[in-house]
Amino acid sequence: MVDFGIPIGAGIAFGLGALGTGIAQSRIGAAGAGAVAERPESFGLMMILVAIPETLVILGFVVSAMIMLMLK
Amino acid sequence: MLQKMKKVQVIGPKKDLQNVVDVLYHTGTVHLEDLSKTILPGDTILRKMDPGKSGDISNILVKIGGIFLSLPKIQDDLQKQDQIYKDLQKKSHDDLTARARYVIEELESTTKDLASNKSDLEFSVNALDRYEKIIKKIQPLESQLPILEGFEVTVILIQREFRDVLELVRNALVEITKNQFELISADVDEATIATVIIFNKKYSERVHSFIFSQNVNEVRMPQEYLGKPFNEILLLIAEKRKKSLDEMAVIDKKLEALAAVWYQELSVLKKVLEDRNEEASVYGKFGQTEYTFLIEGWIPKKYLNRTKETIKNIFGSRVIVIELELSPEKMNDAPTFYDNPAIVKPFEFLIQIIGAPKYKEVDPSPLIAIFFPIFFGLMVGDIAYGAIILVFAFIMKKKYKAEIWLQHLMNILIISSIPAIFFGFLFGEFFGNLGEEMGWIHPIHFLGITWNRIEAMVPLLILAIAIGVFHVILGLSIGIINSLAKKSRKHAIEKAGMITVIIGILLVMGATVEMLPSILLPPGIVLIVIALPLIIYGGGFFGAFEIMSTAVNILSYARIMAIGMASVILALVANKLGGTIEVAYVGFLIAALLHILNIGLAMFSPFLHSLRLHLVEFHSKFYEGGGKMYKPFMKEKTG
């Protein structure tokens, strides 16, 4: 029988990371766009703030890759 | 490299002020300080300098610019312009403006009249073209038009999408003219319909005012064309157009004659006035006493002697440049000037995205110039993609020469595409696995690992994290240097503690998973125990939480592997999908489209992630910011 546990686990690890990043970036991005419109010189700082939550999805990807590779 | 700055004062007699400012402007080495902010209102000796007469020059410049634009451009005679430049440059403010006023007096009214006549003629030719086009379109309707005495003909133009308005017009005309009208429509072009309306003249006023109120584009034929057959009107139009074009040619000749006499001088006069205008705008920053002026600013140490020499050669001992000795605290106000080789220069642009660094901070641009392309190359890692990005960047650079920011970005892409091609060789990738499938190229076997990105996922992840460890420790080391330069011992100790704890954690983890000899476990624990008090001493209790954030920073480098993996998988999908479709050219087209999409992503995503690794993970370990960049007083460079 095919074991669906591993791919489903990997999918959850990656998917939830992506979801978390998406939620965080949507809020930071919306506020950042407003701030940049008011003060264009804050673009660099805003880009950093928007980029910070990306770590979540990257770690999610790494964990899911680990699950796929190490548990098969 | 960060350049040493020197604060200087330039002092001289007031009568030389304009010439001194002009020399400083053309030398282009001084970053001016606003001295007026430091002069107290009650100071009886040193007072603020009155602002320059920039308003005066601005008005003249607008007029000269207008004349210059209305004259046809002719070949620049550089030798003649150079001679004129030398003559004008010598003139005082009053003499220069007097000359400019004379030129304006000589040319303004003539050029204005000629330009306005030409513009009227152009307008009239355009109108004639429009009438001709409409009349040619409605000419076939001529036979349908009733020839009636006392009737008027008018044409309206309606956009095709608003054709419903015709019904409205028809209903209104029924009412206004008591049904004494005819309405015929024809297409002028794809977007416009011309409608001819014939109605009794006694309703003329009401009909025109109704058309006007509906905002419909009515073609008002000139009086002389009214009531004439269309053929005759077309002949009249052709005749009038020829006359107008002849007159325009005469005007052009006159303008060319004026340009032959004045163009070279106008061109130079405009440049000199622009310079003087720029110079006058900074007078407000200077100080003055009864007979002298005082200019304060910063000069990079390597340009100081050159500037002093220039001033001395021109003004002798009348004007002096004094080098000020400043305390280390005062030196913190110095502007930051990184003078790097051309290959590093584009990366200075990336640092400025997050604001100017403070003077004395270590210049990170040479390090970014090394690591940014490597990260980018590791993520793209494909010979064909790298080559296409290289060509794309060259084309964009050539096409948009005036956009400075784009030039910087494209230079970064050009430099970064080289490692992308190199890692493509290492990973054996040419349009994903196409090169390997065709037998053109194979992944390199090195350190017992075949560096195929799909199969060597774990080694690549370890490599990415190892790069992260090295990069973050490098950032922390620069942080120690910056802290010591600021004499902030606590911060330096905190950063040293952080480096120690990272090494300790690595030893403990390595020994635990048996990647390192187990004998390294106790030293690892000892390092962590030593580092914790250092971190708490330097950064307080919350400094200890920074360990977590630094660990996450290091793990964040896993994106180097992850983004690369995403790119290679998309390339594989493109090749696989293209290969499974039976019709060869459709398969090729699909594969090509997916590869184009992937290259687009490969230019954007690795660039952004590489930038993020530098700005978030690397810079946060040492960067303070809040400084100002060295901006010498000189002509703005364009293009």
Side-chain angles (χ1 to χ4, degrees), chain B residues 502-512 516-517 520-521 523-525 527:
Chain B
I502 291 172
I503 297 171
I505 291 172
L506 284 175
L507 289 180
V508 170
M509 280 174 62
T512 314
L516 294 172
L520 290 173
L521 186 64
I525 295 170
L527 283 178

Side-chain angles (χ1 to χ4, degrees), chain A residues 44 47-48 51 54-55 65-66, chain B residues 353-354 457 461 609 611-612:
Chain A
M47 203 173 78
I48 292 170
E54 271 169 18
T55 313
M66 290 291 171
Chain B
I353 288 180
I354 47 170
M457 197 171 156
L461 182 62
H609 283 276
L611 182 63
R612 176 230 147 95

Side-chain angles (χ1 to χ4, degrees), chain B residues 18-307:
Chain B
Q18 190 213 305
N19 290 336
V20 171
V21 174
D22 196 48
V23 169
L24 291 179
Y25 183 72
H26 286 96
T27 316
T29 55
V30 189
H31 175 106
L32 293 174
E33 280 284 300
D34 193 351
L35 200 59
S36 66
K37 285 180 187 163
T38 58
I39 299 172
L40 298 171
D43 198 327
T44 48
I45 301 169
L46 189 63
R47 287 170 286 118
K48 288 180 188 176
M49 181 75 77
D50 306 323
K53 298 169 186 169
S54 56
D56 187 18
I57 300 180
S58 301
N59 291 339
I60 294 174
L61 252 177
V62 171
K63 287 184 177 175
I64 294 278
I67 297 170
F68 191 70
L69 274 181
S70 56
L71 289 184
K73 192 170 169 19
I74 60 171
Q75 186 73 32
D76 285 309
D77 180 347
L78 295 179
Q79 206 177 350
K80 196 172 175 187
Q81 286 193 3
D82 198 38
Q83 187 55 45
I84 298 171
Y85 184 81
K86 279 179 190 156
D87 291 344
L88 291 177
Q89 191 60 20
K90 272 188 240 157
K91 287 186 192 294
S92 66
H93 173 85
D94 291 339
D95 289 349
L96 184 72
T97 47
R99 177 67 193 169
R101 285 204 181 91
Y102 169 74
V103 173
I104 291 170
E105 208 170 293
E106 283 290 304
L107 293 177
E108 195 183 28
S109 63
T110 325
T111 50
K112 211 182 228 175
D113 289 348
L114 289 174
S116 122
N117 286 349
K118 192 180 167 189
S119 147
D120 288 349
L121 289 167
E122 274 169 355
F123 183 77
S124 138
V125 169
N126 282 342
L128 290 171
D129 287 346
R130 196 156 147 260
Y131 296 148
E132 186 181 48
K133 193 174 170 191
I134 294 163
I135 289 169
K136 275 186 179 165
K137 284 287 174 186
I138 59 175
Q139 204 172 10
L141 307 176
E142 194 169 15
S143 56
Q144 299 174 38
L145 299 179
I147 302 161
L148 296 167
E149 200 60 39
F151 273 71
E152 189 180 328
V153 178
T154 190
V155 181
I156 57 172
L157 295 178
I158 294 167
Q159 295 291 312
R160 193 173 282 272
E161 68 248 45
F162 301 124
R163 64 188 314 160
D164 294 347
V165 84
L166 267 179
E167 206 46 47
L168 189 78
V169 172
R170 184 187 294 277
N171 293 339
L173 288 175
V174 170
E175 204 176 299
I176 295 168
T177 63
K178 314 274 183 300
N179 216 8
Q180 293 176 38
F181 77 102
E182 191 66 57
L183 194 139
I184 307 156
S185 296
D187 294 343
V188 177
D189 52 39
E190 282 174 5
T192 322
I193 302 168
T195 302
V196 187
I197 307 169
I198 306 107
F199 55 94
N200 196 316
K201 264 186 184 163
K202 62 182 176 187
Y203 304 116
S204 177
E205 199 179 319
R206 284 183 64 197
V207 170
H208 287 303
S209 89
F210 167 73
I211 292 171
F212 181 74
S213 72
Q214 293 305 305
N215 220 4
V216 174
N217 190 0
E218 185 180 6
V219 184
R220 293 251 179 175
M221 289 279 180
Q223 198 64 35
E224 67 256 36
Y225 300 161
L226 294 179
K228 290 199 166 66
F230 287 159
N231 265 341
E232 207 173 303
I233 294 175
L234 284 175
L235 284 175
L236 282 172
I237 285 175
E239 200 178 301
K240 192 160 182 194
R241 183 170 43 214
K242 189 180 175 305
K243 202 176 152 206
S244 299
L245 289 173
D246 288 346
E247 281 177 42
M248 276 162 71
V250 173
I251 291 176
D252 281 341
K253 281 250 156 57
K254 284 183 183 167
L255 285 171
E256 272 165 29
L258 282 174
V261 180
W262 292 100
Y263 182 85
Q264 309 297 345
E265 181 172 352
L266 267 173
S267 167
V268 179
L269 193 57
K270 193 165 152 276
K271 279 182 207 153
V272 175
L273 282 168
E274 277 167 358
D275 288 355
R276 290 282 170 95
N277 194 30
E278 197 65 34
E279 288 165 23
S281 69
V282 296
Y283 276 40
K285 290 182 176 180
F286 307 153
Q288 61 173 339
T289 63
E290 190 71 31
Y291 300 108
T292 59
F293 68 83
L294 174 65
I295 298 172
E296 208 168 87
W298 298 88
I299 301 183
K301 196 182 167 195
K302 64 174 183 177
Y303 299 149
L304 184 61
N305 282 340
R306 199 180 85 195
T307 314

Side-chain angles (χ1 to χ4, degrees), chain A residues 25 41-59 61-62 64-66 68-70, chain B residues 353-355 454 457-458 461 552-553 555-563 565-566 569 608-609 611-612 615-617:
Chain A
Q25 283 195 329
E41 68 274 14
S42 64
F43 173 76
L45 181 68
M46 287 309 154
M47 203 173 78
I48 292 170
L49 292 178
V50 173
I52 284 171
E54 271 169 18
T55 313
L56 288 176
V57 68
I58 299 288
L59 294 182
F61 177 79
V62 172
S64 80
M66 290 291 171
M68 295 287 281
L69 286 172
M70 293 186 170
Chain B
I353 288 180
I354 47 170
I454 297 288
M457 197 171 156
V458 177
L461 182 62
V552 171
N553 283 162
L555 286 179
S556 181
Y557 282 77
R559 74 186 63 229
I560 294 179
M561 177 275 283
I563 305 291
M565 177 77 79
I569 287 175
L608 217 58
H609 283 276
L611 182 63
R612 176 230 147 95
L615 298 189
V616 181
E617 273 77 17

